[in-house]
Amino acid sequence: MTAVVPSASEVEEGGSRYDRLIQPARVHGTLYTDPSIYAEELRKIWHRTWVFVGHESEVPQPNDYVRKQLADQDVVMTRDKDGEVHLLINRCAHRGLQVCDDQAGNSSSFRCPYHGWTYRNTGELLGYPYNKGYGGKNQLPLGMGKVARVDSYQGFVFGSLAEDGPSLDEHLGAAKGEIDRLVGLSPEGRVALDAGWLRHRTRANWKFLAENETDGYHPQFVHGSIFGVTGSPIGALYSDNSTAVTRNLGDGHSENDLRPEFREFAEPMRWFGTTPDRVPSYVQAMKDAFGEDEANRRMIEGAPHVMIFPNLFIAEIQVFNIQPVGVGECVQYSTAVQIDGGHELNQRMVSQSIGSVGPAGMLLADDTEMYERNQRGVAMADPEWLDVRRGLVRESVDADGFTIGAATDETGMRGFWNHYKSLMEAEDR
Amino acid sequence: MTRHEEGPHHEVGLEEGADDVVVPQGRVVESEFASIAVRLDREGNSVRLRVEDLRTGRVRHLDALELESIVWLGEGHLTQLLDPSHERWRG
Ligand code: FES
Ligand SMILES: [Fe+2]
């Protein structure tokens, strides 16, 4: 320890605790290891802000339901008989039992196995056995818990456990345009996340993942093997010579924008590692839907690579849902994007996704090895800080007013920490 | 085709030459008073019974818990449901 670097215990003095832990060029290691900070994150981030939970396509039919996670909360996403989507907290109002146990099903009502209390799939209590003990039917003003606010954008369902706060629209901000870009690759203007989710338990703090998703500095090191095996041209886009940019989209969101590179090549479907003649039905459907020029523009620019704070990562062909489990553990749920009207693309999306994030996939396993080593590393005492200054010397502001850095810069991480800090400095309620 | 159910029923097929016939899918439970097609539907996240009133085309899906509740419906309740003025012809 040196005189100039304060230790975590000293950081309480001067400014807020987070002023000391989160600085423009560095962040403190305890942010990833301190259980009290994690407890505060649950209260101020995960139980307050909008969190990605799932996609409407996972409950396609009336009365479908799936079990999902919202941080430490076990949530049942239901579609009621009228088509509306709800997020119920999976807890009986009687004695607190977990009500639903299957991962998915179809039922207009849920019956708790303990004493038989029965709820509509909107959470409303519809009855209980032997009602004389309660003075008759409909005597209890109780129901399953509910995620206070539920909203969706392009079928992506988000929940907020806080009664009030910014709307989903405000929370998503500029990130909406990136979701639109993904959906714009569908000739029918819709995507589905119904291919099934893989679940990867990861022994690392959730923030390592959120930061890494738009870290363009690591791919050449960590992902050399998959780039080598697949002959993917993507690796080269993450270097100092690349015209791709890392963009701080505000509100904690960031992206690696590879479009400058793809526009230069001007080859439709290059982003997907293929050529139009190999996916002819899809290309035709795109042209029928949008006309030749617009379809080509979309197929040249490709899908987004965007990290939406705090837990939704859209990685071109697949989507990750990151959920914390504890200060040193999280789960990465991943699934292949399925495009309505995608024709040949959808099967390829699934196989590419399995190749990169499946049980024997090469991409996620490599990243996860880094996350877990990162978690072990930051438990060490010295040098205490993580450096996030890369690119500060060359940052600029783009035409839309967003801060951008080069492809390999830590501009996204700095945006993440800014937003994180503003949330953590807010008052407890 | 083997028939396992009891009571009046028949297999439903498209009549030749009648291209405007609506073809109900599944087995038919039928009497002189009503005609209902039933089949298992696997479109949802778990299996449901799809029940179609062939005289009106009205369709209802019944999940397992709803079916169990019907099985346990007392005769009195069921009789109430059969009263024409209970729901459909309430006036
Ligand atoms: S705990 Fe659910 S019915 Fe008693
Ligand atoms: Fe990676």
Side-chain angles (χ1 to χ4, degrees):
Chain A
M1 204 172 297
T2 66
V4 288
V5 179
S7 74
S9 51
E10 294 169 276
V11 296
E12 306 281 357
E13 316 143 16
S16 78
R17 179 187 198 186
Y18 293 101
D19 271 336
R20 305 298 298 274
L21 294 176
I22 302 166
Q23 299 175 11
R26 61 181 193 173
V27 295
H28 200 266
T30 52
L31 289 161
Y32 306 88
T33 58
D34 183 336
S36 76
I37 291 179
Y38 177 69
E40 196 172 340
E41 287 174 350
L42 281 182
R43 296 198 308 276
K44 293 183 171 179
I45 297 177
W46 295 96
H47 293 178
R48 191 177 283 182
T49 193
W50 289 98
V51 175
F52 172 65
V53 175
H55 195 272
E56 286 172 359
S57 58
E58 295 177 69
V59 285
Q61 293 292 318
N63 298 330
D64 274 345
Y65 66 93
V66 283
R67 276 178 62 203
K68 305 296 281 187
Q69 208 62 35
L70 196 170
D72 55 345
Q73 300 297 301
D74 187 332
V75 162
V76 188
M77 179 163 79
T78 69
R79 185 184 288 278
D80 70 22
K81 64 180 188 331
D82 302 318
E84 198 185 329
V85 173
H86 304 262
L87 297 178
L88 309 180
I89 309 233
N90 195 6
R91 171 179 170 149
C92 180
H94 179 217
R95 291 189 47 79
L97 214 82
Q98 170 198 321
V99 177
C100 298
D101 195 45
D102 277 356
Q103 285 306 316
N106 183 286
S107 196
S108 65
S109 45
F110 305 133
R111 179 164 294 164
C112 178
Y114 199 0
H115 310 91
W117 284 29
T118 303
Y119 303 88
R120 286 186 213 288
N121 58 10
T122 57
E124 184 192 337
L125 179 62
L126 70 78
Y128 33 76
Y130 312 128
N131 61 53
K132 285 195 215 87
Y134 297 108
K137 288 179 187 288
N138 304 318
Q139 294 304 306
L140 305 178
L142 301 173
M144 285 174 75
K146 289 182 133 188
V147 174
R149 293 183 298 158
V150 183
D151 201 355
S152 68
Y153 186 73
Q154 300 276 29
F156 291 78
V157 179
F158 298 80
S160 162
L161 288 162
E163 293 287 348
D164 44 38
S167 66
L168 177 63
D169 199 66
E170 289 164 334
H171 167 77
L172 290 177
K176 278 188 298 179
E178 302 307 308
I179 299 178
D180 293 343
R181 195 141 76 81
L182 178 72
V183 172
L185 287 167
S186 159
E188 295 166 18
R190 264 193 320 272
V191 298
L193 299 183
D194 60 353
W197 292 88
L198 292 158
R199 183 177 179 278
H200 299 268
R201 184 176 160 213
T202 307
R203 287 173 196 82
N205 185 273
W206 65 275
K207 298 190 290 301
F208 280 127
L209 285 68
E211 290 178 277
N212 177 71
E213 308 302 15
T214 56
D215 169 31
Y217 199 20
H218 80 279
Q220 293 276 25
F221 289 87
V222 176
H223 303 305
S225 51
I226 193 168
F227 294 147
V229 170
T230 61
S232 162
I234 302 294
L237 304 186
Y238 293 107
S239 76
D240 259 351
N241 298 326
S242 175
T243 58
V245 302
T246 306
R247 180 173 290 111
N248 171 1
L249 291 167
D251 305 298
H253 318 311
S254 62
E255 68 167 334
N256 290 129
D257 186 358
L258 307 178
R259 284 174 292 183
E261 288 280 330
F262 291 134
R263 285 185 193 124
E264 222 159 284
F265 284 98
E267 294 168 2
M269 303 312 293
R270 183 184 174 88
W271 71 272
F272 192 64
T274 190
T275 49
D277 57 299
R278 306 190 70 170
V279 287
S281 310
Y282 170 68
V283 170
Q284 193 54 52
M286 285 294 282
K287 290 180 176 173
D288 292 345
F290 304 114
E292 179 101 16
D293 289 352
E294 176 62 13
N296 276 334
R297 185 184 69 75
R298 294 178 189 221
M299 291 187 290
I300 287 168
E301 294 184 346
H305 185 107
V306 61
M307 177 64 216
I308 298 178
F309 189 94
N311 74 323
L312 169 60
F313 174 38
I314 303 175
E316 288 97 354
I317 61 158
Q318 57 214 351
V319 167
F320 293 74
N321 170 359
I322 303 161
Q323 298 287 346
V325 174
V327 67
E329 187 176 334
C330 63
V331 173
Q332 315 178 57
Y333 300 89
S334 61
T335 192
V337 171
Q338 295 290 279
I339 288 177
D340 283 24
H343 296 278
E344 309 93 337
L345 235 51
N346 285 335
Q347 190 50 51
R348 285 166 175 255
M349 292 245 185
V350 172
S351 28
Q352 284 195 16
S353 184
I354 291 296
S356 52
V357 306
M362 298 179 75
L363 198 85
L364 180 137
D366 289 347
D367 282 320
T368 301
E369 177 66 14
M370 297 305 115
Y371 303 146
E372 298 193 341
R373 283 174 72 154
N374 221 158
Q375 190 69 29
R376 295 199 289 273
V378 293
M380 304 302 112
D382 191 41
E384 283 195 57
W385 296 88
L386 291 81
D387 197 281
V388 292
R389 87 185 73 191
R390 185 177 170 79
L392 267 178
V393 293
R394 56 180 175 184
E395 253 174 19
S396 61
V397 174
D398 71 8
D400 300 312
F402 297 115
T403 302
I404 55 170
T408 61
D409 289 352
E410 286 157 357
T411 310
M413 292 179 196
R414 290 189 289 274
F416 171 91
W417 284 111
N418 257 331
H419 188 66
Y420 174 94
K421 185 164 175 284
S422 71
L423 296 178
M424 293 294 275
E425 283 173 340
E427 293 294 311
D428 258 315
R429 291 182 197 168
Chain B
M1 196 170 276
T2 2
R3 294 182 171 178
H4 302 285
E5 300 89 347
E6 291 171 16
H9 63 278
H10 61 254
E11 298 299 321
V12 178
L14 181 65
E15 282 172 44
E16 260 178 82
D19 29 318
D20 56 346
V21 167
V22 181
V23 186
Q25 294 177 335
R27 303 288 179 104
V28 174
V29 181
E30 190 173 51
S31 72
E32 60 182 305
F33 305 111
S35 182
I36 298 291
V38 293
R39 73 175 161 93
L40 296 183
D41 175 298
R42 299 182 191 278
E43 295 297 305
N45 286 356
S46 60
V47 65
R48 296 173 290 179
L49 187 67
R50 180 187 185 278
V51 185
E52 178 176 355
D53 175 7
L54 293 176
R55 292 188 176 174
T56 62
R58 191 176 165 101
V59 172
R60 157 148 275 159
H61 289 88
L62 292 166
D63 62 53
L65 190 51
E66 288 168 342
L67 288 169
E68 187 201 63
S69 306
I70 292 171
V71 170
W72 282 91
L73 214 52
E75 284 307 319
H77 273 119
L78 193 56
T79 310
Q80 273 174 31
L81 295 180
L82 285 165
D83 175 353
S85 72
H86 184 72
E87 201 64 56
R88 193 168 160 196
W89 291 283
R90 190 160 36 198

